[in-house]
Amino acid sequence: MKISFSPPYIDEDVIKEVDDSLRSGWITTGPKVKALEEETEKLLRCPACSAVNSWMSGAILSLRWLGLKSDDEVIVPAYTYCATALAVIEAGAKPVMVDIGEDMTIDTEKILQAINPHTKAIIPVDIGGIPCNYLRIKEIINSQEILKLYTPNSDNQDKLGRIMILSDSAHSIGAKINSQSVANYVDICVLSFHAVKNITSAEGGMICLNLPTPFDNKELKKWFRVMSLNGQTKDAFTKNQLASWRYDVLGGGMKCNMPDVNAAIALAQIRKYDYLLKERKRIFNRYNSCLQKFKWTKLPFETIENGEDSHKENIESSYHLYPLRILDINEQQRDDMIMKLAETEIATNVHYIPMPSLTVFKNMGFDISNYPIANKVFKQEITLPLYPQLTDEQVDFVLENLIRVHDEVVAQK
Ligand SMILES: *Cc1c(COP(=O)(O)O)cnc(C)c1O
């Protein structure tokens, strides 16, 4: 039984929506993108969402909007995909990495220690679809002690008057805290619609704006649209209307708009969000109910359910990943388990190689020994396949083989 890791959800409705775009005579940014933005605004109950071609470009544009200088710092967790820190570098500032807690989300007390007058933003990562402890992060950035350190050096930093929270919500579309989406807890929430994510447009991203007054999120949405099109004041669709050729270019933009043909894929999926979430939850719970009886497992986000971590009340995951930890093995044995699972055609993955272990960040002076929890979690982690198309039978097949290869690998030692 061949089980892939995270194939996209492509049903007849997706194909119909793409077909509609292809036959409409308009395939780049236009009505499908507008519809996808509106569906995302509805799902997240967010005042203004602006589509782009990836999480990465959404994060870069957002940080450029904030106006970072070369000695400005942005705090990120060490345990995430490289894009989280690379976006900061691309926006012209310095990433500052901090360790995670046992629940795999950013350690909020480490954030507190890392803040200094250069700190202009924090990018918490909702890993696997679990929202970070935004209540605590907001408390930190709004405390008198931290507000006193804040030293704005751009107009928007000045207007905001405090450190900005930009969530890396690449995994957490639809995840909730107290029945509200992550977008409601942060200034800017950036989603990814990359092919492996819960909702996908093959490649894509969404900037979800929830900035406080005096900012006008609906006006800002227009700014983001312009800046995702080379700073050009009219998108190609509008310019294509009869006698609507004249435009201006304001400058400072990127070319990172989302095409309609891509938006069509995500549009058909997001309309079924509740169904897709229910199916993900089914698989997640099936893994949990089998694996909880073994002493060698640490279930994903177990500390959350056991209340060991303070932010766990009323959290709803988007069930993006199943990052299992295996407590009685070393890194080599973990790799062996993955290899043995691959021999039975079961694809698994590791989330994540901590950023300080990657060459690009090592060359910048980051050292994994400063991130002990991230390093420990990495060595014990195997992510199991999790997507709506998986049948119960397939899930049981993964479980059977996981237990078998674990016992084999442990016995060999
Ligand atoms: C996928 C992912 C990204 C990057 O998303 P793109 O849309 O490919 O740019 C960023 N952060 C995390 C945590 C991710 O998993």
Side-chain angles (χ1 to χ4, degrees), residues 53-58 79-84 125-128 168-171 190-197 202-205 320-321 351-352:
N53 66 357
S54 69
W55 180 93
M56 182 69 162
S57 32
Y79 204 70
T80 176
Y81 182 59
C82 62
T84 315
V125 178
D126 300 324
I127 194 143
D168 180 337
S169 292
H171 298 177
V190 184
L191 308 175
S192 172
F193 292 140
H194 174 263
V196 301
K197 306 293 154 77
E203 299 285 354
H320 176 57
L321 296 175
H351 292 87
Y352 282 96

Side-chain angles (χ1 to χ4, degrees), residues 23 32 47 78 108 130 214 241 301 352 357 406:
R23 290 177 199 279
K32 300 284 185 207
T108 52
I130 286 284
Q241 308 305 306
F301 321 114
Y352 282 96
S357 299
H406 168 265

Side-chain angles (χ1 to χ4, degrees), residues 222-239:
K222 291 182 201 155
W223 183 91
F224 276 98
R225 162 57 60 83
V226 166
M227 288 304 154
S228 68
L229 277 158
N230 297 323
Q232 181 178 304
T233 52
K234 266 183 202 170
D235 63 37
F237 186 76
T238 314
K239 245 172 68 189

Side-chain angles (χ1 to χ4, degrees), residues 105-299:
T105 67
I106 192 164
D107 182 334
T108 52
E109 296 318 300
K110 294 271 160 56
I111 292 178
L112 188 56
Q113 291 161 19
I115 292 175
N116 66 59
H118 296 295
T119 311
K120 297 297 149 56
I122 304 171
I123 312 184
V125 178
D126 300 324
I127 194 143
I130 286 284
C132 296
N133 191 350
Y134 292 108
L135 295 173
R136 176 69 187 131
I137 296 170
K138 285 174 83 159
E139 199 175 83
I140 290 172
I141 60 164
N142 287 307
S143 71
Q144 282 310 313
E145 176 201 355
I146 297 301
L147 287 172
K148 249 187 271 163
L149 292 179
Y150 187 68
T151 317
N153 58 22
S154 77
D155 285 350
N156 284 332
Q157 289 176 19
D158 197 34
K159 251 167 115 179
L160 186 60
R162 56 160 172 77
I163 295 169
M164 180 171 89
I165 311 179
L166 187 164
S167 66
D168 180 337
S169 292
H171 298 177
S172 61
I173 184 170
K176 286 178 179 165
I177 308 165
N178 294 322
S179 309
Q180 285 192 300
S181 73
V182 170
N184 287 285
Y185 286 84
V186 302
D187 299 308
I188 302 182
C189 158
V190 184
L191 308 175
S192 172
F193 292 140
H194 174 263
V196 301
K197 306 293 154 77
N198 286 20
I199 302 290
T200 179
S201 57
E203 299 285 354
M206 191 67 81
I207 303 165
C208 309
L209 300 162
N210 189 35
L211 284 145
T213 46
F215 297 108
D216 178 338
N217 291 295
K218 294 211 165 64
E219 279 305 309
L220 267 179
K221 171 176 171 166
K222 291 182 201 155
W223 183 91
F224 276 98
R225 162 57 60 83
V226 166
M227 288 304 154
S228 68
L229 277 158
N230 297 323
Q232 181 178 304
T233 52
K234 266 183 202 170
D235 63 37
F237 186 76
T238 314
K239 245 172 68 189
N240 195 48
Q241 308 305 306
L242 287 170
S244 183
W245 58 273
R246 194 182 284 279
Y247 62 91
D248 192 11
V249 173
L250 307 177
M254 293 166 62
K255 181 64 168 69
C256 59
N257 55 305
M258 181 190 283
D260 258 24
V261 68
N262 287 80
I265 305 171
L267 185 56
Q269 293 178 349
I270 203 170
R271 287 180 179 143
K272 303 186 176 179
Y273 181 80
D274 289 346
Y275 165 75
L276 297 173
L277 181 71
K278 190 178 93 206
E279 292 303 297
R280 286 181 171 276
K281 194 169 174 176
R282 164 179 63 82
I283 295 149
F284 194 96
N285 288 339
R286 198 169 181 90
Y287 281 140
N288 269 2
S289 61
C290 169
L291 293 171
Q292 68 188 1
K293 50 182 182 282
F294 298 103
K295 279 210 184 66
W296 49 269
T297 60
K298 189 173 174 76
L299 304 186

Side-chain angles (χ1 to χ4, degrees), residues 328-337 409-410 413:
D328 61 348
I329 56 169
N330 59 32
E331 188 176 355
Q332 183 58 51
Q333 289 172 309
R334 187 275 311 276
D335 295 356
D336 292 346
M337 280 181 70
V409 160
V410 169
K413 258 267 158 167

